[in-house]
Amino acid sequence: MSETGTTPMEAEFDTVAAWTEQAIGELGQAHAIPAACRGSGSPPELAWLAEGLGLEGDDPFLDAGAGLGGPAAWLTGYLHDRWRGTALLAEPMTHAAAAARRLFDLPSVAAWSQDLPLPDRSVAAAWLLGVLCTTPDKRDVLTELHRVLRPGGRLGLLVLVADRELTESPEGNDFPTRASLRADLEATGFTIDDQVDGAELPGAPEDWVARADAVDAVVRRDHGDHPQWQQAHAQEEVLGRVMERGDVVTVLLHATAR
């Protein structure tokens, strides 16, 4: 807990999320998906993950740790010609969960990924974007996802992994190594089918980046002097440095529940 009274995770993923929704309201819905995907994947990354989910027909899908709902909203558009199922969103931060419903009219519940309010074997596929690198309870999260996935269900993962020993790290992050990530998946009943480093995929389109940046600029204009914005921004700067040095890299994986 910092002097702001919130953790860095709460500042970034709850308070700033609420401000982001407000900025989208000012700039327009065309900015919603890019802004709500900030930190959760670019279109090439999301497309790589989507193609491995095997969604078709009315398969139910879960986005665990869904944030503002941008990735799930993007997925419904990307797969609109082959998948008509429901995207279920679970997000522990209450402002973000509520904003996802308002922004994209998607069913969203405030719930931790370690304790999902879903029956056993109730979803055909799920993804987890930037979540495992924010918790020390990785096996608890993966075990819970395995519980709600059907046998043979597909899991997409975007994980920031530590490729080198870190000299600094954003507070609240807990980066796995490649080896520990593989071990955690194996131990919780998953088989890795495919993986790729994010650096091997194309970058986000220029107009996508511009719309997300425009929302960020409005948030900074309105809240840049707020301690929680400064707290979240400081965390982003640390993460940017460790990723620029290659200490932390983005890894995407497809896995199947055994």
Side-chain angles (χ1 to χ4, degrees), residues 196-244:
V196 67
D197 280 13
E200 298 177 30
L201 300 174
E206 289 185 6
D207 64 333
W208 174 281
V209 175
R211 292 181 188 198
D213 286 348
V215 171
D216 284 351
V218 170
V219 172
R220 183 168 190 161
R221 180 199 70 195
D222 293 343
H223 306 285
D225 59 350
H226 195 288
Q228 289 188 36
W229 182 90
Q230 294 170 2
Q231 183 182 22
H233 183 63
Q235 293 296 99
E236 291 173 0
E237 288 188 324
V238 175
L239 180 59
R241 289 197 297 270
V242 297
M243 294 193 74
E244 185 176 357

Side-chain angles (χ1 to χ4, degrees), residues 67-256:
L68 284 168
W74 178 94
L75 183 71
T76 60
Y78 181 75
L79 295 180
H80 70 92
D81 59 344
R82 46 184 152 149
W83 175 60
R84 300 176 303 280
T86 301
L88 309 169
L89 281 61
E91 164 55 43
M93 301 299 175
T94 55
H95 284 148
R101 290 194 299 271
R102 290 188 292 263
L103 286 170
F104 304 114
D105 195 26
L106 292 171
S108 180
V109 61
W112 291 93
S113 300
Q114 298 94 315
D115 188 19
L116 297 167
L118 295 172
D120 295 356
R121 303 182 175 191
S122 56
V123 297
W127 67 19
L128 194 68
L129 309 178
V131 174
L132 284 185
C133 35
T134 64
T135 176
D137 302 324
K138 296 172 178 53
R139 294 195 180 186
D140 291 344
V141 171
L142 292 170
T143 296
E144 182 69 345
L145 283 168
H146 191 277
R147 180 186 69 79
V148 302
L149 280 166
R150 298 170 182 171
R154 304 279 285 174
L155 175 64
L157 290 164
L158 185 152
V159 188
L160 301 183
V161 304
D163 259 359
R164 305 171 185 167
E165 185 174 350
L166 301 181
T167 57
E168 61 176 342
S169 180
E171 185 180 345
N173 282 100
D174 190 292
F175 303 113
T177 64
R178 294 176 191 264
S180 70
L181 178 58
R182 287 193 298 270
D184 289 341
L185 285 163
E186 177 66 26
T188 53
F190 289 98
T191 299
I192 296 175
D193 301 308
D194 195 10
Q195 68 180 68
V196 67
D197 280 13
E200 298 177 30
L201 300 174
E206 289 185 6
D207 64 333
W208 174 281
V209 175
R211 292 181 188 198
D213 286 348
V215 171
D216 284 351
V218 170
V219 172
R220 183 168 190 161
R221 180 199 70 195
D222 293 343
H223 306 285
D225 59 350
H226 195 288
Q228 289 188 36
W229 182 90
Q230 294 170 2
Q231 183 182 22
H233 183 63
Q235 293 296 99
E236 291 173 0
E237 288 188 324
V238 175
L239 180 59
R241 289 197 297 270
V242 297
M243 294 193 74
E244 185 176 357
R245 291 196 296 263
D247 298 345
V248 171
V249 300
T250 302
V251 175
L252 296 88
L253 304 96
H254 297 138
T256 299

